[in-house]
């Protein structure tokens, strides 16, 4: 493509084997007053990378 | 749904329902903008450029990367969750050795008496978490306060106890600690660096900014008492390869908070978070919706600082500009949010249980007591049904799968309705996400 560069295809629709609940609780990470999940990792993916 | 914005000289389009992110030409940007607003506009480019742009847009639509259909809500609703508790905010001290003007815990006592968590109550809290964790292996305990270092012997005791119990049950507890740093010394630092997965160090930035609101018990400034200790601690922590964040709160007194992040970075703190104060509108330092344009411009300045530091070989990690575009959390997590009142609880120094630390001391949110062994999560349904699909403001928000719906406590305390997120915080969250996505896109160009 000449006019569009895709940076990410996203992962919202990937619902296979997910929802395990093993990932970090977002509010515990550094904020305690907000709720963002954008900066969190999937525990399954992280574990596989290790 | 799509969202269009510019970041530096990039035209960026996000597709809400897939999470896709694209950098596009001016022609594509104008075409998508016209489509989004359902307006016909004349385009100042030749016909072949327009045709090419149109074909590329249509290809992405076919691939499900633009204007994509939503994930069926019934497949990913947080309401499918089991009632499992996996994370705990453990209030080691309902007392503090600082007197910060904006503290949501009063000045550490959470509208009760000043007290320290007894070790036995702490052990009961750990047992409670383990008993309610179901099949979850990874559990979290944050040692919080007040100031947890005022009761550090109990922290040591509870880490030892937690390690014993996790071995027995095949679980893994991640311990974290949030401190103002005033009582840090070499001995407790060594223990913290050995056992804590993450440490949050509270400081607001420049000396005059910090000292205006973060005061000693006697009313003096705290900066000079903590800065050396924090730097020494972080040096040791980085050497150990462990995670930390210095975390500040910004208020109406320092809407130029990028200067505070720059100050902290200049002192060698590589991981920084600053958060907008959430407080009563009557306070002098409260932020209001009228401040939003100025605060958004400040996040742009902060993004500039990040770019400069990256170029100079001294990159800075700002908590809210970190984003994982390659994967990130699954949609179940994105829809559910922080887990307060469902998989996350707070335990007060007297053993009382609440949906999260921000509700501690509020009788309407009391769920039981770990010492008495009584627990009835009568608010489970209230919290479990408060998610991005049920909050009207979230349903139509482009940022919903990155934000996850906002802080429940903020919604309750500011709007009196758990389903109505705090608008000021929403606006700032959207801006931070634009900067985060923009920085990630810039890195790939």
């Amino acid at each position: 493509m000449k006019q569009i560069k895709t940076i990410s295809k996203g992962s919202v629709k990937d619902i296979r084997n997910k929802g395990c609940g093993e990932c970090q609780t977002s509010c515990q990470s550094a904020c305690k007053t907000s709720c963002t999940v954008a900066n969190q990792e999937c525990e399954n993916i992280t574990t596989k990378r290790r | 749904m799509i969202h269009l914005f510019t970041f530096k000289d990039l035209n960026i389009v996000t597709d809400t329902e897939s999470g896709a992110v694209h950098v596009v030409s001016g022609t594509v940007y104008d075409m998508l903008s016209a489509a989004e607003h359902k307006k016909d506009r004349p385009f100042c480019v030749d016909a072949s450029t327009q045709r090419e742009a149109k074909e590329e847009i249509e290809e992405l639509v076919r691939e499900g990367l633009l204007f994509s259909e939503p994930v069926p809500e019934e497949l990913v609703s947080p309401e499918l969750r089991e009632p499992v508790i996996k994370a705990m905010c453990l209030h080691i001290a309902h007392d503090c050795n600082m007197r910060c003007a904006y503290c949501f815990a009063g000045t550490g006592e959470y509208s009760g008496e000043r007290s320290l968590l007894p070790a036995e109550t702490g052990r009961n809290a750990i047992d409670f978490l383990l008993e309610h964790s179901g099949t979850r292996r990874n559990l979290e305990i944050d040692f919080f306060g007040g100031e947890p270092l005022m009761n550090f012997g109990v922290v040591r005791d509870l880490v030892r106890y937690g390690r014993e119990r996790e071995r027995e049950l095949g679980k893994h507890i991640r311990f974290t600690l949030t401190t103002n740093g005033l009582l840090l010394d070499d001995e407790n630092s060594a223990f913290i660096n050995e056992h804590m997965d993450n440490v949050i160090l509270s400081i607001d930035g420049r000396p005059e900014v910090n000292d205006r609101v973060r005061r000693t018990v006697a009313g003096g400034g705290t900066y000079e008492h903590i800065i050396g200790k924090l730097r020494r601690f972080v040096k040791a922590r980085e050497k150990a390869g462990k995670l930390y964040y210095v975390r500040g709160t910004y208020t109406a007194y320092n809407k130029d908070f990028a200067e505070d992040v720059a100050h902290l970075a200049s002192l060698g703190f590589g991981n920084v978070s600053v958060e907008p104060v959430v407080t009563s509108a009557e306070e002098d330092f409260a932020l209001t919706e009228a401040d939003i344009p100025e605060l958004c411009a400040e996040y742009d300045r902060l993004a500039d600082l990040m770019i400069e530091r990256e170029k100079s070989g001294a990159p800075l990690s700002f908590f809210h500009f970190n984003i994982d575009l390659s994967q990130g959390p699954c949609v179940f997590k994105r829809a559910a949010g922080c887990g307060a009142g469902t998989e996350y609880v707070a335990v007060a120094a007297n053993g009382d249980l609440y949906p999260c630390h921000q509700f501690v001391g509020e009788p309407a949110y009391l769920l039981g007591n770990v010492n008495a062994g009584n627990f009835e999560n009568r608010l489970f349904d209230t919290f479990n049904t408060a998610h991005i699909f049920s909050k009207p403001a979230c349903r139509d928000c482009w940022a919903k799968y990155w934000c996850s719906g906002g802080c429940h406590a903020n919604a309750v305390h500011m709007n009196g309705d758990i389903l109505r997120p705090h608008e000021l915080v929403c606006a700032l969250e959207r801006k931070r996400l634009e900067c985060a996505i923009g920085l990630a896109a810039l890195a790939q160009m």
Side-chain angles (χ1 to χ4, degrees):
Chain A
M1 286 195 179
K2 292 179 182 170
Q3 299 202 41
I4 300 177
K5 178 180 168 120
T6 296
I7 301 297
S8 164
K9 292 187 174 183
S11 60
V12 173
K13 297 201 170 179
D14 183 2
I15 60 172
R16 294 165 300 164
N17 304 319
K18 299 292 173 68
C20 69
E22 293 290 349
C23 54
Q24 187 183 31
T25 301
S26 56
C27 195
Q28 297 275 62
S29 43
C31 51
K32 289 284 187 187
T33 52
S34 70
C35 183
T36 187
V37 294
N39 50 17
Q40 289 204 269
E41 290 184 324
C42 169
E43 188 73 25
N44 283 324
I45 304 291
T46 312
T47 307
K48 281 176 194 160
R49 279 183 194 149
R50 280 176 193 146
Chain B
M1 189 192 328
I2 62 167
H3 175 62
L4 298 135
F5 66 98
T6 57
F7 181 81
K8 308 308 163 194
D9 59 349
L10 300 181
N11 299 311
I12 297 177
V13 184
T14 66
D15 179 56
T16 303
E17 302 297 342
S18 66
V21 177
H22 314 280
V23 173
V24 304
S25 69
T27 305
V28 170
Y29 190 91
D30 287 345
M31 283 183 161
L32 290 173
S33 180
E36 185 72 346
H37 296 100
K38 296 184 173 50
K39 285 180 186 168
D40 281 329
R41 283 188 200 168
F43 296 105
C44 304
V45 290
D46 59 74
S48 69
T49 304
Q50 282 189 52
R51 190 166 52 249
E52 182 182 78
K54 188 165 178 283
E55 286 170 2
E56 292 188 12
I57 290 169
E58 286 170 351
E59 188 176 335
L60 290 186
V61 172
R62 279 194 299 277
E63 289 179 14
L65 298 174
L66 273 180
F67 301 107
S68 64
E69 291 298 316
V71 178
E73 194 179 310
E74 63 275 16
L75 294 183
V76 297
S77 170
E79 293 176 39
L80 301 169
R81 281 183 293 186
E82 303 164 48
V84 163
I85 296 172
K86 66 168 192 173
M88 175 177 283
C89 183
L90 187 50
H91 290 214
I92 294 298
H94 272 202
D95 197 0
C96 192
N97 46 10
M98 286 193 189
R99 296 290 182 269
C100 304
Y102 47 53
C103 184
F104 66 81
T107 51
E109 76 280 20
Y110 288 86
S111 59
E113 290 178 8
R114 293 190 182 279
S115 57
L116 301 178
L117 179 93
E120 188 182 350
T121 302
R123 289 194 286 272
N124 289 340
I126 291 175
D127 289 343
F128 172 89
L129 177 64
L130 291 164
E131 283 163 17
H132 289 82
S133 61
T135 58
R136 298 287 187 277
R137 179 175 182 274
N138 292 315
L139 311 179
E140 297 157 52
I141 294 178
D142 186 41
F143 296 117
F144 198 63
E147 172 48 46
L149 297 193
M150 292 176 76
N151 195 16
F152 196 67
V154 167
V155 173
R156 286 176 183 275
D157 184 276
L158 295 180
V159 169
R160 271 194 299 273
Y161 183 71
R163 290 287 176 247
E164 285 169 20
R165 296 294 331 269
E166 70 177 6
R167 269 195 298 276
E168 288 167 25
L169 299 170
K171 303 274 184 178
H172 175 227
I173 301 176
R174 289 174 174 141
F175 290 109
T176 57
L177 180 129
T178 302
T179 178
N180 63 31
L182 209 51
L183 293 176
L184 278 174
D185 58 31
D186 286 348
E187 196 186 349
N188 59 29
S189 294
F191 183 88
I192 291 166
N193 283 337
E194 184 180 350
H195 294 285
M196 302 297 155
D197 282 85
N198 191 8
V199 177
I200 310 303
L201 305 157
S202 302
I203 181 172
D204 284 355
R206 293 162 290 180
E208 64 277 15
V209 168
N210 183 83
D211 288 351
R212 190 164 180 188
V213 282
R214 298 184 66 79
R215 316 285 290 175
T216 64
V217 174
T222 54
Y223 184 94
E224 66 172 324
H225 299 296
I226 59 168
I227 192 62
K229 292 178 178 182
L230 297 186
R231 292 181 79 180
R232 189 176 171 86
F233 175 83
V234 164
K235 204 170 171 184
R237 190 149 182 92
E238 285 178 336
K239 202 171 168 186
K242 294 284 195 77
L243 182 62
Y244 74 91
Y245 271 94
V246 289
R247 182 219 184 272
T249 297
Y250 70 80
T251 73
Y253 295 157
N254 62 317
K255 287 183 270 186
D256 59 344
F257 59 84
E259 295 297 327
D260 294 292
V261 176
H263 173 78
L264 294 169
S266 75
L267 296 176
F269 298 118
N271 301 322
V272 181
S273 175
V274 294
E275 306 274 340
V277 70
V278 178
T279 190
S280 161
E282 289 156 18
E283 298 285 358
D284 281 353
F285 50 78
L287 297 166
T288 70
E289 290 188 30
D291 295 319
I292 290 173
E294 190 177 350
L295 298 174
C296 287
E298 197 62 16
Y299 280 115
D300 280 327
R301 289 186 63 218
L302 184 50
D304 290 339
L305 170 72
M306 306 272 291
I307 293 166
E308 281 168 26
R309 287 192 63 99
E310 185 76 32
K311 280 182 189 163
S312 70
L316 171 67
S317 171
F318 178 65
F319 179 72
H320 286 291
F321 286 176
N322 294 339
I323 192 165
D324 182 0
L325 291 181
S326 63
Q327 175 65 41
C330 62
V331 65
F332 300 90
K333 169 83 167 191
R334 292 169 188 257
C338 69
T342 53
E343 56 186 26
Y344 170 58
V345 292
V347 177
N350 66 356
D352 281 349
L353 283 150
Y354 293 91
C356 90
H357 55 288
Q358 300 237 25
F359 290 110
V360 167
E362 296 184 41
Y365 290 88
L366 179 61
L367 302 175
N369 184 284
V370 297
N371 294 326
N374 62 324
F375 172 66
E376 183 196 354
N377 197 351
R378 60 193 163 76
L379 298 174
F380 181 83
D381 286 346
T382 303
F383 283 88
N384 197 36
T385 54
H387 46 68
I388 61 170
F389 303 121
S390 63
K391 297 178 185 178
C394 297
R395 289 189 75 90
D396 299 324
C397 177
W398 66 267
K400 60 186 173 186
Y401 287 117
W402 282 304
C403 157
S404 82
C407 170
H408 293 316
N410 286 354
V412 169
H413 294 146
M414 302 306 288
N415 289 331
D417 182 354
I418 199 168
L419 297 178
R420 196 176 145 212
H422 184 27
E423 294 82 357
L424 168 69
V425 173
C426 290
L428 300 180
E429 172 72 348
R430 284 192 290 267
K431 180 61 188 179
R432 291 190 299 233
L433 284 167
E434 285 187 350
C435 290
I437 293 165
L439 287 166
L442 205 56
Q444 288 194 42
M445 298 306 287

